[in-house]
Amino acid sequence: MSDARRWFDLSSPFRMKRGGELVGARLAYETWGELNAARDNAILILTGLSPSAHAASSDEDPSPGWWEEMLGPGKHIDTDRWFVICANTLGSCKGSTGPADVNPVTGEPYRLDFPELTLEDAANASFELVRGLGIDLLACLLGNSMGGMTALAYLAQHPGSARAHASISTAAQAQPFAIAIRSLQRESIRLDPNWQQGRYDDAHYPEAGMSIARKLGVITYRSAMEWVGRFARIRLDSDQRDEEPFAVEFQIESYLAGHARRFVRSFDPNSYLYLSRASDWFDIGEHAGGNVDNALKRLGVERALVIGVETDILFPLPQQEQIADGLRAGGAEVDFVALDSPQGHDAFLVDIPRFGAAIARFLAAL
Amino acid sequence: MSDARRWFDLSSPFRMKRGGELVGARLAYETWGELNAARDNAILILTGLSPSAHAASSDEDPSPGWWEEMLGPGKHIDTDRWFVICANTLGSCKGSTGPADVNPVTGEPYRLDFPELTLEDAANASFELVRGLGIDLLACLLGNSMGGMTALAYLAQHPGSARAHASISTAAQAQPFAIAIRSLQRESIRLDPNWQQGRYDDAHYPEAGMSIARKLGVITYRSAMEWVGRFARIRLDSDQRDEEPFAVEFQIESYLAGHARRFVRSFDPNSYLYLSRASDWFDIGEHAGGNVDNALKRLGVERALVIGVETDILFPLPQQEQIADGLRAGGAEVDFVALDSPQGHDAFLVDIPRFGAAIARFLAAL
């Protein structure tokens, strides 16, 4: 299988916000386009909880990426003009160092010995990558969902390190509804007897817990409105309820099951726990004595695009408004875009026409 | 412990919509106030999934009921004027016959041998109770949440059996978002190794599954907006994370844990599964060849109050609008009330000032 990933060695030891450190850690990343001579055309994309660095196809890896329609030559993020970097989050399991990797100090997988991870750490790792690629100033730092929080952590720790910022379906701090959902996802994994305090293996794997966590994720990533139109009350053709009285019966249930099936074995459960908890911990206010608005004022970007979606229940629109207001108060010229995409939080992944237009318009003006 | 419950013997065998039947089944119910000589002042309350028949205190049982502030002498539902009946749902575990009860035919608990239960069956059982109390025509049939669907099933099967109808935070048919949530709640219980296809006992009880199901319920019963104001990012004083790395840390998590703790052992898991599935199955359209609007036209009530809440994500406002429009098209005089209570679906239980005012105004005009 072709692979476009490259690896960047982080400083070692890589010191983390809450006290731990990583030895010999690295980030997986991919790039598209060419860095120009002035080194001023770089865009860094920070991702949501589960995506890899493979945002789009390339000659080295022609498989479609998670943002395939958004990114490429002539596309909304035009790689004929921009040098685009996408990093796999520190602590993830898609090439960057995370709980599933071997700790070189002990020779054993980290599992729960992985140090407490914050989005500030993930941001700092990406910052090292950008510097390592010889880029002092990003043309644009773009983050969506958890990656949007990571981007805010990036700018809070390194103000002025990006000229422009695109903040998509994210939050300046985790709020209780999202914390409740993520806490319940983590609990589902932890209560699975196969989780075994993180010491599962392929034969004893917390499949049930991961499945519940993923289904709950999908439920909160989309919107009730979309599903009314898409699934309504359509039943499955095959009725398995003779053998199993509470088996799936409606298309919506089978849709969730399909999502879970594709995810459960492709994402490390411990990594999921670490990234999920890091999202709950995030509060940009910590960088300004507890005041979110003050923290948002100090990010040092000249221009910003903030996009939110009216049907997003996980990162509701007022959270995007707060980011836009804070950036504006800090002197940035801000485009705030509230989209009425029906797909909820996931809209940035699927409603490419609306998101692409907003992003392309913003980048064209840079 | 004092108990105001009475029991009503259903017809035996009690035939059920999907083909099964119950022998010697009964309903638990409570009443408040006096039935007048004309027998025309009766209000029947049908409940959500988990409440008992104990809606309010009385001389016989002075403990507070689940709608204590709503119901009583001089209260919004004034029992000085009205004879109020509240029935525990057929299939529940609060006195009415359900999966936890002994099947008199076999001498063993029903468990999963309980016949497939629909809200139409629950409605028919309540209809028999009302007839058994000597009431031909209800002054008002009131249902909230699942009880609101049961009330629609009642009227669809017995049109004209209530002069007025109060429909609160409910739906004419289960929609995919709510089905997805309930399906996941059922899955959490079913995946608990202690569930054992319904053959748990007190020593081996699906505690983890019930806990996840309840927490997910509470998350969808309330609203993000309420929680921002109530919990924000407040941490717990006692930090248990030294011993347990992913233990609860935020107040919102401890709030959910408290709800789960109180619920898990007080509600029968199999009963939960049956009632949850019955809610998914509900579609009033089935009573009019698949057409919801036509079914709503035929309920034969003169006046109706339909209340919905803007922050309700489980039974969103458009579902209440649909009910109001359908009743109006059927010739009823309809008061439609959209409340901006912050408490989401649960608002009818807690925002008594807003709900009480609307209900009292409606009842005063009857």
Side-chain angles (χ1 to χ4, degrees):
Chain A
M1 207 171 77
S2 54
D3 193 337
R5 279 182 300 183
R6 288 163 211 189
W7 278 269
F8 175 77
D9 291 324
L10 298 176
S11 57
S12 185
F14 180 83
R15 299 192 197 284
M16 300 180 64
K17 185 185 175 199
R18 292 173 79 104
E21 60 179 39
L22 294 171
V23 173
R26 56 188 201 162
L27 281 196
Y29 69 100
E30 293 191 27
T31 67
W32 301 261
E34 299 293 333
L35 186 61
N36 62 16
R39 299 178 171 273
D40 67 359
N41 70 330
I43 295 176
L44 173 66
I45 296 176
L46 298 174
T47 80
L49 191 151
S50 58
S52 69
H54 190 56
S57 59
S58 59
D59 289 344
E60 288 162 281
D61 181 352
S63 68
W66 59 265
W67 230 8
E68 185 67 24
E69 301 305 316
M70 185 64 82
L71 178 66
K75 294 187 180 173
H76 305 291
I77 301 175
D78 185 354
T79 53
D80 287 337
R81 175 179 176 198
W82 303 105
F83 174 64
V84 179
I85 312 155
C86 182
N88 181 228
T89 312
L90 182 69
S92 177
C93 54
K94 305 288 186 184
S96 294
T97 300
D101 290 308
V102 169
N103 178 354
V105 177
T106 64
E108 296 290 323
Y110 286 105
R111 303 185 185 274
L112 300 199
D113 291 332
F114 198 79
E116 290 191 333
L117 176 75
T118 67
L119 296 185
E120 278 80 357
D121 304 314
N124 282 338
S126 296
F127 180 77
E128 287 194 2
L129 165 66
V130 169
R131 289 292 161 103
L133 293 173
I135 299 156
D136 286 331
L137 182 66
L138 287 168
C140 182
L141 173 60
L142 183 155
N144 37 46
S145 191
M146 186 191 83
M149 299 196 285
T150 313
L152 292 175
Y154 188 112
L155 294 168
Q157 297 177 113
H158 310 285
S161 60
R163 271 199 298 135
H165 174 41
S167 175
I168 297 173
S169 299
T170 192
Q173 61 173 195
Q175 284 188 344
F177 182 84
I179 292 174
I181 294 283
R182 286 191 291 254
S183 172
L184 194 52
Q185 291 173 310
R186 294 194 298 274
E187 184 171 352
S188 302
I189 295 170
R190 290 163 51 220
L191 285 177
D192 188 315
N194 283 331
W195 180 60
Q196 297 187 84
Q197 297 289 319
R199 290 184 300 274
Y200 48 83
D201 56 33
D202 281 351
H204 305 87
Y205 189 92
E207 194 132 4
M210 282 291 282
S211 176
I212 291 173
R214 181 58 171 176
K215 288 181 178 182
L216 180 51
V218 173
I219 289 173
T220 53
Y221 298 156
R222 310 299 287 218
S223 91
M225 191 216 289
E226 180 200 9
W227 285 355
V228 169
R230 190 162 164 194
F231 300 111
R233 291 182 49 80
I234 301 169
R235 251 100 169 170
L236 296 171
D237 293 337
S238 66
D239 191 334
Q240 305 153 337
R241 289 179 309 108
D242 280 347
E243 290 123 59
E244 174 62 54
F246 295 93
V248 298
E249 178 176 356
F250 292 94
Q251 260 193 8
I252 179 64
E253 293 175 282
S254 142
Y255 166 81
L256 293 178
H259 268 281
R261 204 165 37 240
R262 288 189 294 278
F263 184 75
V264 159
R265 291 274 179 173
S266 71
F267 205 89
D268 175 54
N270 288 337
S271 182
Y272 192 92
L273 294 175
Y274 272 84
L275 291 169
S276 165
R277 187 181 55 178
S279 299
D280 284 2
W281 279 339
F282 182 65
D283 180 359
I284 199 174
E286 290 177 1
H287 298 274
N291 188 308
V292 170
D293 295 332
N294 284 345
L296 287 168
K297 273 187 209 166
R298 303 176 184 173
L299 305 184
V301 295
E302 295 166 22
R303 297 215 42 191
L305 168 67
V306 181
I307 311 181
V309 173
E310 284 162 16
T311 55
D312 187 342
I313 59 172
L314 202 57
F315 293 81
L317 206 50
Q319 295 204 283
Q320 273 72 241
E321 285 166 345
Q322 180 183 38
I323 294 169
D325 291 346
L327 289 167
R328 208 174 274 128
E333 187 185 328
V334 179
D335 299 341
F336 177 64
V337 179
L339 295 177
D340 60 356
S341 313
Q343 298 96 343
H345 181 64
D346 262 0
F348 69 89
L349 293 172
V350 282
D351 190 0
I352 300 299
R354 282 191 183 83
F355 277 83
I359 291 170
R361 196 166 49 234
F362 178 70
L363 294 179
L366 292 186
Chain B
M1 209 171 77
S2 55
D3 193 338
R5 279 181 299 185
R6 288 162 210 188
W7 277 268
F8 174 77
D9 291 324
L10 298 175
S11 58
S12 184
F14 179 82
R15 297 192 199 286
M16 298 179 68
K17 184 186 176 198
R18 293 174 80 104
E21 59 180 39
L22 294 170
V23 173
R26 56 187 200 161
L27 280 196
Y29 69 101
E30 293 190 28
T31 67
W32 300 261
E34 300 293 332
L35 186 61
N36 63 15
R39 299 180 171 273
D40 67 357
N41 70 328
I43 296 176
L44 173 66
I45 296 175
L46 298 173
T47 80
L49 191 152
S50 58
S52 69
H54 190 56
S57 59
S58 60
D59 289 344
E60 288 162 281
D61 181 353
S63 67
W66 58 265
W67 229 9
E68 184 68 22
E69 301 305 315
M70 185 64 83
L71 177 66
K75 293 187 181 172
H76 305 292
I77 301 176
D78 185 355
T79 54
D80 287 336
R81 176 181 176 196
W82 302 105
F83 175 63
V84 178
I85 312 155
C86 181
N88 182 229
T89 313
L90 182 69
S92 176
C93 55
K94 304 290 186 184
S96 294
T97 301
D101 291 307
V102 169
N103 178 355
V105 177
T106 64
E108 297 289 326
Y110 284 106
R111 302 184 185 275
L112 300 199
D113 290 333
F114 198 80
E116 290 190 333
L117 177 75
T118 67
L119 296 185
E120 278 80 358
D121 303 315
N124 283 338
S126 295
F127 179 77
E128 286 194 2
L129 164 66
V130 169
R131 288 293 160 102
L133 294 172
I135 300 157
D136 286 332
L137 182 67
L138 286 168
C140 182
L141 172 60
L142 183 154
N144 38 47
S145 190
M146 187 192 82
M149 300 196 282
T150 312
L152 292 174
Y154 188 113
L155 295 168
Q157 297 177 112
H158 310 286
S161 60
R163 272 198 298 133
H165 174 41
S167 174
I168 297 172
S169 299
T170 192
Q173 61 174 195
Q175 283 188 344
F177 182 84
I179 293 174
I181 294 282
R182 285 190 291 256
S183 172
L184 193 52
Q185 291 173 309
R186 294 194 298 274
E187 184 172 353
S188 301
I189 296 169
R190 291 163 51 223
L191 285 177
D192 188 315
N194 282 330
W195 180 61
Q196 297 187 81
Q197 297 290 319
R199 291 184 299 276
Y200 47 84
D201 56 32
D202 280 352
H204 306 87
Y205 189 91
E207 195 132 4
M210 282 291 280
S211 177
I212 292 173
R214 181 59 172 176
K215 289 182 178 181
L216 180 51
V218 173
I219 289 172
T220 54
Y221 298 156
R222 311 299 287 219
S223 91
M225 191 215 291
E226 179 200 9
W227 285 355
V228 169
R230 192 164 162 192
F231 301 111
R233 292 182 50 78
I234 300 169
R235 253 96 167 175
L236 296 170
D237 293 336
S238 66
D239 191 335
Q240 306 153 336
R241 288 178 310 108
D242 279 348
E243 291 122 60
E244 174 62 53
F246 294 93
V248 298
E249 178 176 356
F250 292 95
Q251 262 195 8
I252 179 63
E253 295 176 279
S254 143
Y255 166 82
L256 293 178
H259 269 281
R261 202 165 40 238
R262 288 189 295 277
F263 185 75
V264 159
R265 291 274 179 173
S266 71
F267 205 89
D268 175 54
N270 288 335
S271 183
Y272 192 93
L273 294 174
Y274 271 84
L275 291 169
S276 167
R277 187 180 56 179
S279 298
D280 283 3
W281 279 339
F282 183 64
D283 180 0
I284 199 174
E286 289 177 1
H287 298 274
N291 188 308
V292 169
D293 295 333
N294 284 344
L296 286 168
K297 272 187 210 167
R298 301 176 185 173
L299 304 185
V301 295
E302 294 166 22
R303 298 215 41 191
L305 168 66
V306 181
I307 311 182
V309 173
E310 285 162 17
T311 55
D312 188 341
I313 60 173
L314 202 57
F315 293 82
L317 208 51
Q319 296 205 282
Q320 273 74 238
E321 284 166 346
Q322 180 183 37
I323 293 170
D325 292 345
L327 288 167
R328 207 173 275 128
E333 186 184 327
V334 178
D335 299 341
F336 176 66
V337 179
L339 296 177
D340 60 356
S341 312
Q343 298 95 344
H345 181 63
D346 263 0
F348 68 90
L349 293 172
V350 281
D351 190 1
I352 300 300
R354 283 190 182 83
F355 277 83
I359 291 170
R361 196 165 52 235
F362 177 69
L363 293 179
L366 291 187

